[in-house]
Amino acid sequence: MSYDPFEGFGEHSPYRSASPIFLHRHDCSGRLDAARLPDQLTRRRLSLRAFDTEAMMLDGRVVDGSDLAAALDELLRVDGVDRVHVHNAGPGCFAAVATTAPA
């Protein structure tokens, strides 16, 4: 099915688009930290897209899943970045959104 990660965020962003997603049989939601990244993300090539609060892209890169934690840490420290969308690099399927933990 399709999912719009910009729903409720960035309705007017030029980057807005619905992406295909895969559904899990079991609930996989919840807060994760770098030590508990899902195996499905750490074993594939990923496209990371960093957005500000206005849903404008500030940075983006393609990384191996084994480098995901370090790349997220780096992108979430970029001045103005509010969230990072994670996509499977090949097919472009949306996988996750990463934000900084509330203080």
Side-chain angles (χ1 to χ4, degrees):
M1 67 184 291
S2 224
Y3 174 73
D4 181 358
F6 291 92
E7 188 69 36
F9 160 78
E11 279 80 10
H12 303 291
S13 174
Y15 301 102
R16 185 174 186 184
S17 66
S19 298
I21 61 170
F22 292 97
L23 299 178
H24 290 192
R25 181 179 305 253
H26 305 287
D27 184 10
C28 61
S29 61
R31 294 194 175 274
L32 299 173
D33 59 46
R36 298 185 318 119
L37 291 173
D39 182 53
Q40 68 185 23
L41 294 180
T42 60
R43 58 184 168 91
R44 60 177 36 117
R45 196 108 166 110
L46 301 167
S47 171
L48 307 180
R49 303 164 192 173
F51 295 94
D52 66 12
T53 58
E54 301 296 317
M56 295 303 293
M57 193 182 313
L58 300 180
D59 201 342
R61 60 190 68 173
V62 175
V63 301
D64 288 323
S66 58
D67 298 324
L68 177 59
L72 286 175
D73 184 54
E74 185 178 322
L75 287 171
L76 289 168
R77 291 177 190 264
V78 170
D79 189 41
V81 168
D82 178 65
R83 65 189 64 207
V84 177
H85 289 182
V86 180
H87 294 255
N88 295 306
C93 299
F94 180 81
V97 63
T99 60
T100 55

